[in-house]
Amino acid sequence: MKTPGPKDKGATARGGGLKISVCLGSPCLASGAAGVLRALRETWGEAPIAVIGTGCMGPCSRGPMIRIERDGHPAAYYERMTPQAACTTVAAHLAGAPPGQGRLAPDFPFIARQTRIVLEQCGRIDPNDLNSARAAGGYRALAHAIGKMTPEQVCGEIGASGLRGRGGGGYPTGTKWELVRAASGRRKYVVANGDEGDPGAFMDRTLMESDPHRLLEGMVIAGYAVGARDGFIFVRGEYPLAAQRLGAAIADAGKAGLLGRNILGSGFSFRIRLRIGAGAFVCGEETALMASVMGRRGQPVIRPPYPAQRGLWGGSTLINNVETFGCIAPIIRNGAAWFRAMGTPGNSGTKVFSISGDVATEGVLEVPLGTPLRELLAMAGGVSGGSFKAAQTGGASGGCIPAGHMDVPVDYESLKGLGTIMGSGGLIVMNDQRCMTDVARFFMHFCQDESCGKCAPCRTGTQQAARLLDRIAAGEATSDDMSQLEQLCRFMQETSLCGLGMAAPTPVLSTLRWFREEYESHVRDRRCPTGVCAMEGVPCRD
Amino acid sequence: MPRLTLTINNRSVSARRGESILSAARRSGSDIPTLCNLGGLIPAGACRVCLVEVAGYPRPVPACATRAEQGMVVTTDTERLTAARRMIVELLLAERNHSCAVCVMNRHCQLQDLAARLGIDHVRFAFISPQAGVDISHARFGIDHNRCILCRRCVRVCDEIEGAHTWDVDGRGAASRIICDLAQPWGTSTTCTGCGKCVQACPTGALFEKDAPTQKATIDMERLSEWRRSRK
């Protein structure tokens, strides 16, 4: 037993048993969390006070976040900590007089109203410590699945849970697993899609950085269920911290017998390798992703054959989003019925959203599917800087939800009905100071830059559409340009090779559907109602 | 060889298992226009000119890369398809610098032929006019990127038939560019065998033989009236 140092004597005398968690997710690190952790460790880091670095606690724009827990007391969250403020706060806690400065209310909606299933352990465990993950229940579902269930039963359980792909498509996960399980061929593969490229999306990064073992566990269970021995995690190059933590987690899990040969003595072997993207949005498309994993140019190929039929190196391949794999362990642990009880019929379980833009608190939220948009906004503290105008879902492939539809339950079908998509879960909130044609223009330029260039409609169509939107923003467009833009958009939807090209015009069509008068004001009156578009050379009309 | 039957343009057509819609349609007398397709190469389905409608499918599919299936009902020539094909060719014409009058392939160019066939006499879109560059460092051949439509027939023929894989694509989207080896002058390539298959495969004047005399631009009244007819 370690004897407490001199500076801890007082602390021990006053009760100790304090657990201080410092968020070490990318956003908190960017605002100085590493310094806060160092200062706390230097000042208080000896038993019985525990200072640990954890993953994301949720309210990213309020970082660095710390949480102080003490037996018998509710956890206290503090926002925007500096090293000095953090030390003072801990001292005050030890003195029995917790300060109000920087403290979030106990019922702070962003934290209190979440239903955390996928992010269960994010912000609670040390992502660099396998023991921390196992103590919190990590790999228990794996032991259960390979020890007590047949692959058929695992697939059946996932199918019964009603889980749907969280990458945006919403395809039933159980059906996909069953297809790969039933496929012939000796070599099969499991791939986790961590190429989260949509502007405003950072759910998968949060999970990979905060609880990498959850992803590994889901993948090993999937490998067991479909009969694969090899897995790949494709992480975008812009996520170095996620890649580093995943790499360490793979090594640790391998040493502990949870990965690699003869997992937990069951005779089942499965290894996972990491692949880092090189900055192409299109690699989030599954056929392009597979090409990249195999070392080829990351561009899509025509489906069918689907990856389940012929994927990596010709073998049947299961590709799921990171968040989808994150749902697996809780489903195996608690059963399909438990999962189905959350959300709405046909949309079971929870969904992680990354909310950003004009809201009081930006960050990562997990709520049951079917939660109204209004509730999500309320959890984020409401719209900032003006009144609510629209929320963009699904990033560059999605559309927006206007103010009149704030009570829409956020599920796959309801969003589709509004001309947008669930997408991977990025939610960008815009207030009434934002110009919607400018938003459409931003996304079209994004798609133009990110088009792989293989098929003609996407490569050339995005170039022309971006030019037309530039003309609209500059006050140079005519009504002919407007109809040409709409024609181009429908053309790209119908004729592009892959999903990204088909979805590239969605932001334009969606803003045209809800905010056509704003476009008309740019074209007819040569005036930007919000004053965002510069309209150089156009005489002032007011 | 197992055979199957499908309907193409209201005509019952017999096809081999694994045969493409394009090949079955051509045999039955329905000529679907193509651009990136070249017999003997693995279809890429990239130019989207050969899109056809299949009953029950939500969107048109490329005839070159879609297999014929038992009972399929295919239409190759609807208004919607013609509009899409015209749009593709116009967009391609606007993307780089296609000046037929000064092109070595004038009157032998598949892009030009396709435009004539579709009755395209003007382009609705803004000409982007990039400075795409020319490489004439090779002793016998040259590549003019201004005339390239990125169909990748050269890349595929070099890889799949010649086995050299000298050509590839660099960059993405509008910045896509056919490159030689690791983006070096063609003349310095150590993998190029000088076989000329890429030049033969190129549908436009992007790849050309240096010694071939440049076609003199001529005014061909017959061709003009052909265009006029096709517009009606």
Side-chain angles (χ1 to χ4, degrees):
Chain A
M1 178 111 188
K2 196 177 173 189
T3 41
K7 61 188 169 188
D8 289 309
K9 274 183 185 154
T12 318
R14 277 192 291 271
L18 212 57
K19 187 180 168 196
I20 308 163
S21 312
V22 182
C23 171
L24 294 182
S26 285
C28 283
L29 280 174
S31 53
V36 172
L37 180 72
R38 202 178 317 119
L40 284 173
R41 282 217 168 122
E42 278 166 10
T43 320
W44 307 103
E46 281 172 60
I49 301 179
V51 179
I52 66 162
T54 69
C56 180
M57 297 179 189
C60 300
S61 62
R62 294 179 178 266
M65 291 286 303
I66 68 168
R67 182 180 51 234
I68 300 177
E69 286 160 297
R70 194 175 195 178
D71 297 334
H73 294 81
Y77 287 88
Y78 290 87
E79 60 167 342
R80 300 192 171 100
M81 283 289 114
T82 59
Q84 203 189 352
C87 291
T88 325
T89 305
V90 172
H93 263 271
L94 285 170
Q101 183 80 28
R103 182 170 181 172
L104 299 179
D107 59 347
F108 188 65
F110 202 99
I111 294 170
R113 270 145 73 178
Q114 294 204 31
T115 309
R116 285 193 157 200
I117 303 301
V118 174
L119 305 178
E120 209 176 358
Q121 302 304 340
C122 296
R124 308 208 155 266
I125 59 161
D126 179 352
N128 289 313
D129 181 7
L130 174 61
N131 294 328
S132 166
R134 292 192 83 171
Y139 294 102
R140 218 175 281 165
L142 171 67
H144 181 76
I146 59 177
K148 300 211 169 72
M149 293 169 88
T150 63
E152 291 85 348
Q153 284 172 330
V154 177
C155 285
E157 195 71 13
I158 299 302
S161 74
L163 174 65
R164 296 169 69 177
R166 297 293 191 240
Y171 190 78
T173 307
T175 312
K176 209 185 230 184
W177 285 31
E178 190 54 41
L179 278 173
V180 180
R181 194 189 67 76
S184 55
R186 273 189 315 125
R187 290 191 75 80
K188 296 181 188 175
Y189 300 91
V190 172
V191 178
N193 185 347
D195 190 69
E196 188 177 47
D198 272 330
F202 46 91
M203 307 73 51
D204 295 347
R205 184 190 69 198
T206 302
L207 183 64
M208 291 188 287
E209 283 179 359
S210 308
D211 191 1
H213 291 286
R214 171 62 72 88
L215 170 59
L216 303 188
E217 187 179 9
M219 288 180 71
V220 182
I221 295 173
Y224 173 72
V226 303
R229 295 171 54 95
D230 285 283
F232 290 94
I233 305 175
F234 189 90
V235 186
R236 67 187 299 218
E238 290 86 341
Y239 288 174
L241 186 63
Q244 180 222 314
R245 287 186 183 165
L246 279 167
I250 291 170
D252 289 348
K255 276 182 219 142
L258 299 161
L259 204 57
R261 288 230 178 100
N262 192 15
I263 293 171
L264 294 171
S266 65
F268 169 66
S269 301
F270 189 80
R271 67 171 171 168
I272 295 179
R273 278 168 287 178
L274 210 53
R275 286 282 193 270
I276 315 293
F281 176 65
V282 74
C283 285
E285 199 277 344
E286 58 185 16
T287 59
L289 185 146
M290 289 195 300
S292 183
V293 166
M294 292 187 284
R296 299 180 192 156
R297 180 180 160 91
Q299 62 183 23
V301 291
I302 290 172
R303 296 180 305 182
Y306 287 90
Q309 301 164 294
R310 203 169 73 217
L312 288 175
W313 295 284
S316 177
T317 303
L318 173 75
I319 301 191
N320 277 143
N321 174 262
V322 165
E323 191 186 331
T324 313
F325 282 119
C327 295
I328 303 303
I331 293 174
I332 298 294
R333 270 204 312 261
N334 304 315
W338 166 84
F339 191 76
R340 233 183 15 251
M342 281 174 294
T344 56
N347 283 274
S348 48
T350 58
K351 177 81 192 83
V352 185
F353 290 96
S354 57
I355 192 162
S356 63
D358 302 318
V359 283
T361 305
E362 297 171 294
V364 183
L365 286 170
E366 185 172 352
V367 292
L369 274 167
T371 301
L373 177 62
R374 194 183 291 280
E375 165 68 4
L376 282 164
L377 288 173
M379 286 170 75
V383 179
S384 61
S387 61
F388 178 80
K389 185 169 191 178
Q392 175 85 13
T393 67
S397 306
C400 59
I401 304 172
H405 292 83
M406 271 170 82
D407 290 308
V408 63
V410 180
D411 61 48
Y412 293 96
E413 283 72 29
S414 304
L415 292 187
K416 211 168 171 190
L418 290 179
T420 178
I421 55 166
M422 170 80 80
S424 50
L427 194 61
I428 304 171
V429 180
M430 290 170 276
N431 65 23
D432 54 7
Q433 310 296 305
R434 308 287 168 184
C435 168
M436 298 316 280
T437 62
D438 189 58
V439 170
R441 180 170 158 249
F442 165 81
F443 282 118
M444 190 51 80
H445 276 277
F446 177 85
C447 289
Q448 183 198 322
D449 292 342
E450 295 295 343
S451 163
C452 81
K454 179 176 178 178
C455 82
C458 172
R459 185 186 72 234
T460 59
T462 51
Q463 287 179 63
Q464 294 290 350
R467 284 184 158 227
L468 291 169
L469 287 160
D470 285 347
R471 282 169 61 83
I472 292 171
E476 294 165 357
T478 61
S479 56
D480 281 355
D481 288 335
M482 282 289 291
S483 59
Q484 200 172 70
L485 179 65
E486 282 191 81
Q487 252 184 341
L488 255 179
C489 287
R490 307 235 177 261
F491 159 79
M492 277 191 271
Q493 272 187 330
E494 255 182 20
T495 59
S496 292
L497 192 157
C498 82
L500 297 188
M502 289 178 224
T506 317
V508 178
L509 291 170
S510 170
T511 47
L512 269 169
R513 176 171 169 186
W514 304 114
F515 300 97
R516 185 173 282 271
E517 71 287 349
E518 234 172 88
Y519 280 86
E520 278 167 1
S521 158
H522 282 75
V523 174
R524 197 185 47 225
D525 310 333
R526 308 241 179 276
R527 192 178 152 271
C528 175
T530 53
V532 171
C533 304
M535 303 264 175
E536 277 168 38
V538 176
C540 179
R541 300 285 173 100
D542 294 328
Chain B
M1 186 69 77
R3 298 191 78 82
L4 47 86
T5 315
L6 69 160
T7 311
I8 301 179
N9 294 339
N10 297 322
R11 189 179 296 181
S12 185
V13 180
S14 166
R16 291 189 315 278
R17 198 162 292 282
E19 191 177 3
S20 69
I21 295 177
L22 178 68
S23 138
R26 289 211 166 139
R27 203 152 19 75
S28 76
S30 300
D31 189 19
I32 304 168
T34 57
L35 198 53
C36 75
N37 185 64
L38 187 64
L41 299 183
I42 298 169
C47 74
R48 319 302 280 176
V49 165
C50 70
L51 287 180
V52 294
E53 290 188 31
V54 179
Y57 285 36
R59 298 168 350 109
V61 295
C64 67
T66 310
R67 287 180 178 186
E69 304 215 10
Q70 179 63 38
M72 235 180 197
V73 180
V74 181
T75 323
T76 69
D77 226 355
T78 63
E79 236 169 77
R80 175 186 179 208
L81 291 173
T82 312
R85 285 175 190 145
R86 287 184 63 123
M87 190 84 118
I88 292 166
V89 175
E90 281 184 52
L91 284 165
L92 286 174
L93 288 169
E95 190 185 19
R96 292 201 177 169
N97 308 303
H98 297 280
S99 313
C100 300
V102 293
C103 180
V104 286
M105 285 288 274
N106 193 12
R107 303 184 61 203
H108 304 281
C109 168
Q110 290 180 13
L111 181 66
Q112 191 185 43
D113 287 347
L114 192 57
R117 178 173 167 181
L118 295 168
I120 294 171
D121 52 7
H122 72 288
V123 171
R124 281 166 284 176
F125 302 100
F127 285 97
I128 295 174
S129 311
Q131 291 285 320
V134 181
D135 178 4
I136 47 165
S137 58
H138 193 275
R140 287 164 52 211
F141 311 119
I143 178 166
D144 183 350
H145 296 285
N146 295 293
R147 297 167 181 160
C148 174
I149 55 167
L150 294 166
C151 68
R152 292 142 211 244
R153 274 162 44 160
C154 53
V155 177
R156 289 181 282 149
V157 80
C158 187
D159 178 39
E160 294 167 24
I161 310 293
E162 179 65 6
H165 203 128
T166 298
W167 296 115
D168 214 318
V169 185
D170 182 32
R172 63 175 181 236
S176 299
R177 196 183 143 87
I178 301 293
I179 52 163
C180 179
D181 291 337
L182 295 170
Q184 62 198 63
W186 196 356
T188 65
S189 171
T190 48
T191 60
C192 177
T193 58
C195 72
K197 286 190 180 69
C198 53
V199 179
Q200 294 302 311
C202 182
T204 70
L207 284 158
F208 53 88
E209 221 167 308
K210 280 176 167 177
D211 299 338
T214 305
Q215 296 271 336
K216 200 177 142 201
T218 50
I219 298 170
D220 185 340
M221 289 313 290
E222 205 176 298
R223 200 171 182 89
L224 280 177
S225 50
E226 214 175 275
W227 284 355
R228 217 169 289 134
R229 267 203 307 282
S230 69
R231 229 188 306 159
K232 280 180 191 147

